[in-house]
């Protein structure tokens, strides 16, 4: 586990209150500080929606400083990966926030996450190659979701540019990319999205967005991924494993279970979470903070 870091995607979810985070929250409470007690990485997802504020990045470094092993990863702004409309000014704005983390040695990877609709052809391959060159001074990881990208020529391109291929778990529907343990750079990257086949591609306005990520992996489903992570970790200098099935703290549950599997030992578990997910009791190294006469209702 020396060079494998596992953690959730993001930390700012209102539905984590009373699940991952205590209620009421103590004075001075910050989510990143709290999570850094349990994890050595978090993937910043706010950077997907807008560039990181450099001042916020500085504050986050301070928030996690108590864990010297802690390293952030961060998603690239969607204007570069979804809209494909980013300008030079947009690049400048993105770099202002990323550079704070990078110069502090706390930016493990920048994730270029492309949508399922981003299929491989000559035009999209050229765009990807140009984007890799554009941000070549950062450690990069590329997430693609369509099976057309599962090709030796693409892996060769990533190796040439020193970028990691992101191995993902997603609902495999049609030409969806299937689970893998590919290594194309000194960085290994894995993301688990859950397996909500019924909502993954849903455009029903009555289905909340969070339902795409409302999925709890079983231990049996995680076990093959633990083996893939081991395989990636044996080849990579650093490996990041990100759980994105965030609804009601399920990403935190599965991240803790993966850590326990890979370490073959018990782990520290947030107290609110063990009340909501009793299955964590079997891997919790810390005793409950206090007995409760009235268990929390799910």
């Amino acid at each position: 586990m020396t060079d494998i870091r596992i953690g959730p995607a993001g930390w700012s979810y209102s539905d984590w209150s009373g699940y991952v985070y205590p209620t009421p929250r103590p004075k001075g409470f910050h989510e990143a500080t709290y999570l850094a007690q349990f994890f050595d990485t978090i993937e910043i997802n706010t950077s997907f929606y807008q560039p990181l504020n450099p001042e916020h990045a500085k504050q986050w470094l301070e928030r996690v400083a108590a864990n010297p092993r802690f390293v952030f990863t961060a998603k690239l702004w969607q204007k570069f990966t979804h809209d494909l409309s980013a300008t030079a000014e947009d690049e400048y704005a993105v770099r202002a926030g990323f550079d704070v983390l990078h110069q502090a040695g706390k930016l493990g990877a920048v994730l270029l996450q492309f949508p399922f609709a981003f299929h491989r052809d000559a035009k999209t391959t050229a765009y990807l190659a140009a984007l890799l060159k554009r941000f070549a001074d950062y450690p990069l990881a590329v997430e693609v979701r369509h099976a057309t990208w599962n090709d030796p020529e693409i892996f060769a391109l990533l190796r040439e540019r020193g970028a990691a291929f992101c191995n993902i778990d997603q609902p495999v529907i049609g030409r969806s990319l299937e689970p893998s343990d590919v290594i194309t750079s000194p960085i290994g990257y894995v993301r688990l999205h859950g397996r909500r086949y019924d909502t993954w591609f849903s455009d029903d306005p009555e289905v909340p967005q969070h339902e795409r990520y409302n999925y709890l992996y079983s231990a049996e489903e995680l076990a093959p991924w633990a083996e893939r992570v081991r395989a990636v970790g044996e080849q990579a200098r650093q490996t990041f494993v990100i759980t994105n099935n965030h609804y009601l703290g399920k990403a935190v549950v599965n991240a803790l279970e993966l850590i326990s599997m890979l370490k073959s030992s018990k782990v520290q578990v947030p107290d609110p979470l063990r009340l909501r997910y009793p299955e964590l009791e079997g891997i919790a190294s810390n005793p409950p903070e206090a007995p409760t006469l009235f268990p929390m209702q799910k």
Side-chain angles (χ1 to χ4, degrees), residues 214-218 221 245 249-251 253-254 257 277 279:
N214 184 10
Y215 188 86
L216 185 69
Y217 287 93
S218 68
E221 290 171 325
N245 53 325
K250 293 179 173 67
V253 175
N254 289 146
E257 290 176 329
Y277 297 95
E279 57 266 40

Side-chain angles (χ1 to χ4, degrees), residues 16-296:
W16 283 19
S17 202
Y19 278 77
V20 179
Y21 306 133
T23 53
R25 299 185 182 190
K27 185 178 180 180
F29 180 91
H30 191 275
E31 296 94 332
T33 305
Y34 184 79
L35 291 175
Q37 299 176 78
F38 308 97
F39 303 110
D40 293 331
T41 193
I42 302 173
E43 183 183 85
I44 300 171
N45 61 8
T46 55
S47 54
F48 177 75
Y49 301 102
Q50 60 186 13
L52 282 185
N53 182 312
E55 288 304 315
H56 291 168
K58 290 177 185 176
Q59 292 170 15
W60 294 343
L61 288 174
E62 296 171 0
R63 296 290 189 181
V64 301
N67 181 351
R69 269 185 48 81
F70 192 94
V71 176
F72 288 105
T73 68
K75 291 169 69 175
L76 185 63
W77 192 9
Q78 62 183 339
K79 289 185 75 172
F80 292 88
T81 57
H82 286 60
D83 301 338
L84 311 187
S85 62
T87 64
E89 289 74 19
D90 293 331
E91 180 180 341
Y92 178 82
V94 162
R95 286 180 173 278
F98 285 169
D99 283 347
V100 173
L101 303 177
H102 190 45
Q103 290 166 11
K106 294 296 182 179
L107 182 61
V110 172
L111 179 72
L112 284 55
Q113 179 201 288
F114 292 95
F116 180 81
F118 189 73
H119 299 181
R120 183 198 172 201
D121 57 29
K123 184 177 179 180
T124 54
T125 301
Y127 180 84
L128 173 60
L131 196 60
L132 292 173
K133 184 176 181 180
R134 193 172 186 176
F135 290 102
D137 50 322
Y138 295 132
L140 300 177
V142 176
E143 177 179 345
V144 285
R145 298 183 178 182
H146 196 269
T148 49
W149 295 97
N150 184 18
D151 188 280
E153 290 184 8
I154 297 303
F155 301 150
L157 170 65
L158 295 177
R159 290 189 183 97
E160 179 185 338
R161 301 300 171 88
F165 179 81
C166 182
N167 302 282
I168 62 173
D169 191 81
Q170 63 176 343
V172 178
I173 303 170
R175 298 298 307 281
S176 300
L177 197 67
E178 297 186 359
S180 58
D181 53 6
V182 176
I183 289 288
T184 57
S185 86
I187 294 172
Y189 215 96
V190 173
R191 298 185 87 225
L192 308 184
H193 295 290
R195 298 177 181 176
R196 282 298 299 269
Y197 290 87
D198 56 334
T199 59
W200 189 241
F201 290 126
S202 175
D203 54 5
D204 185 344
E206 295 186 6
V207 177
Q209 180 71 11
H210 66 244
E211 282 301 320
R212 294 184 68 199
Y213 307 102
N214 184 10
Y215 188 86
L216 185 69
Y217 287 93
S218 68
E220 290 74 22
E221 290 171 325
L222 287 179
W225 274 106
E227 290 307 309
R228 292 186 186 100
V229 171
R230 285 192 182 97
V232 170
E234 287 174 359
Q235 301 176 65
R237 187 179 66 239
Q238 289 188 86
T239 299
F240 296 95
V241 182
I242 304 298
T243 50
N244 193 36
N245 53 325
H246 55 74
Y247 189 58
L248 297 179
K250 293 179 173 67
V252 178
V253 175
N254 289 146
L256 291 168
E257 290 176 329
L258 268 175
I259 293 171
S260 179
M261 286 181 182
L262 289 166
K263 293 178 69 174
S264 299
S265 67
K266 294 187 175 184
V267 295
Q268 189 176 4
V269 175
D271 215 58
L273 204 65
R274 70 195 300 165
L275 294 176
R276 298 287 189 173
Y277 297 95
E279 57 266 40
L280 287 175
E281 202 64 45
I283 66 167
S285 62
N286 51 312
E289 289 181 358
T292 177
L293 296 176
F294 306 100
M296 302 176 75

